[in-house]
Amino acid sequence: MFNEAVRQQGILTVWNDDKGYGFITPVTGGARVFVHVSAFPRGRRPAANDLVTYGAGRDERNRPRASDVLFEGPARAVRKRTPGLGVALATVTVFFTLLLGLVALDQAPGLLLAAYGLFSLAAFAMYRADKRAAERAEWRVAEVNLHAVALLGGWPGALVARRVFRHKTRKQPFRTIFWCTVVANCATLGWLVYDSPLPIG
């Protein structure tokens, strides 16, 4: 894919964890070098300001690109907490608590609670698979499928997965469509519970 040259040392000055790529600035100076997450060893997530060594090569368009990246020094003991994870977990907890209350009051069938749980697990697994595929430059999960499982009731799992895997948290119009599926699902749930009584038991 690209021709590899001598190894160099640099600093990962720019890193987009959602998209899985960034730029390395050589310590000796010069132009930034593009690097994809697939060039890093498994077991440790890259982060801005990591000191690394890399194979300096060029891609098929003759642009600088790093390969075979290795971290210099041990991993940092303290890593920044995943932003938004606490809010996502709190939101999901409140939602399932309310849903459990509806079931306890015979306002909704237990199968509805089970369905939300199963679709949420499916959504979480799909986001995890898509994140891994993005890191390995493999075949991705179609966005329409991610939106479909959220619309069907898997949005709580998707909400948590987006934060846990730092995936699809900034991309537009994905974010807007995702929140539309959440609103549509909750509106449908409200209509089913209050305006169209579901058979209980």
Side-chain angles (χ1 to χ4, degrees), residues 71-150:
F71 294 103
E72 289 284 288
R76 291 177 295 279
V78 179
R79 299 300 296 268
K80 184 178 179 181
R81 184 178 178 182
T82 303
L85 179 58
V87 175
L89 289 172
T91 301
V92 171
T93 299
V94 170
F95 175 77
F96 274 103
T97 299
L98 292 174
L99 194 58
L100 185 61
L102 290 173
V103 173
L105 294 172
D106 288 334
Q107 296 298 310
L111 285 177
L112 187 62
L113 179 62
Y116 270 99
L118 289 175
F119 278 119
S120 290
L121 288 174
F124 191 91
M126 289 170 67
Y127 273 81
R128 181 174 182 267
D130 191 51
K131 178 67 174 184
R132 286 191 171 186
E135 293 174 345
R136 300 172 183 176
E138 297 175 347
W139 192 263
R140 303 284 300 278
V141 178
E143 289 188 353
V144 65
N145 293 336
L146 296 177
H147 289 315
V149 73

Side-chain angles (χ1 to χ4, degrees), residues 24-35:
I24 298 173
T25 299
V27 295
T28 55
R32 300 187 307 175
V33 181
F34 175 85
V35 60

